[in-house]
Amino acid sequence: MTLLRVTPEADPTRTLLRTRDDRQIAEIPAPLGACFGNREVGRVDRDASDAALVAAYSAEIEAFDSDGRDRRAETVTVRLDETNQEWVEDVQDSRRTYFNEHTHSEDEIWFFADGGACFYIRAEGKAHILVATDGNLLSLPAGTRHWFDLGLRPDFRAVRLYLTSEGFDGEFTADKIADGFPHVEGVVREDARAV
């Protein structure tokens, strides 16, 4: 289930808003220039080919291409394999890298077919912490300051849209704001205590 928590960027311990209401969550990102929504999932098997996954969600992909910019769609699959030490190290390296504030020179668009991850979006003096799950679609405009946490035990499959692979490479801000924020496990744990 999707979760949005909003905090002051200078005080991640203070909650301004916490909600699991999809309609309310969809309204919050709009002033930030972001787009959030839900789509039907389960159109393909969990282990379907990349081509089948892209084909199954072609309508969502085409909706983002209606501006004529011809985005590419690629699948991102991260499945648990704790028996493979190289996999564990790669995942942890990726987690350390992207849990640092960065921007992209083009829009960042994700659709989660199953599983999820956590996005931390910094804007207007606030941090919007979005725990995305199955069916969630998130679009962040180019230049949005954010960081990302795939979790300690990541297990997700998503479609990511981009114009160029170079444009998707993150440009890190060198701001250490993320250091003061909990990882996704802490966000979820705190939400469970608040209920």
Side-chain angles (χ1 to χ4, degrees), residues 9 16 31 48 50 76 93 127 149 167 180:
E9 68 177 45
L16 302 174
D50 291 348
V76 179
D93 284 347
D149 189 12

Side-chain angles (χ1 to χ4, degrees), residues 134-147:
D134 301 3
N136 288 167
L137 182 145
L138 177 66
S139 172
L140 300 176
T144 300
R145 295 169 74 108
H146 68 286
W147 58 101

Side-chain angles (χ1 to χ4, degrees), residues 65-122:
D65 269 344
S66 63
D67 61 6
R69 296 175 70 194
D70 193 29
R71 289 180 176 84
R72 293 169 178 83
E74 79 171 1
T75 60
V76 179
T77 303
V78 180
R79 297 288 187 218
L80 290 169
D81 185 2
E82 294 176 326
T83 63
N84 181 337
Q85 188 58 36
E86 186 177 330
W87 178 90
V88 171
E89 290 170 9
D90 286 349
V91 166
Q92 293 312 310
D93 284 347
S94 182
R95 189 179 195 200
R96 277 189 295 275
T97 298
Y98 288 102
F99 200 79
N100 286 291
E101 187 182 67
H102 59 280
T103 62
H104 299 285
S105 62
E106 63 180 68
D107 298 348
E108 181 171 11
I109 303 167
W110 287 85
F111 171 72
F112 287 91
D114 71 75
C118 188
F119 293 83
Y120 301 72
I121 306 158
R122 181 180 180 186

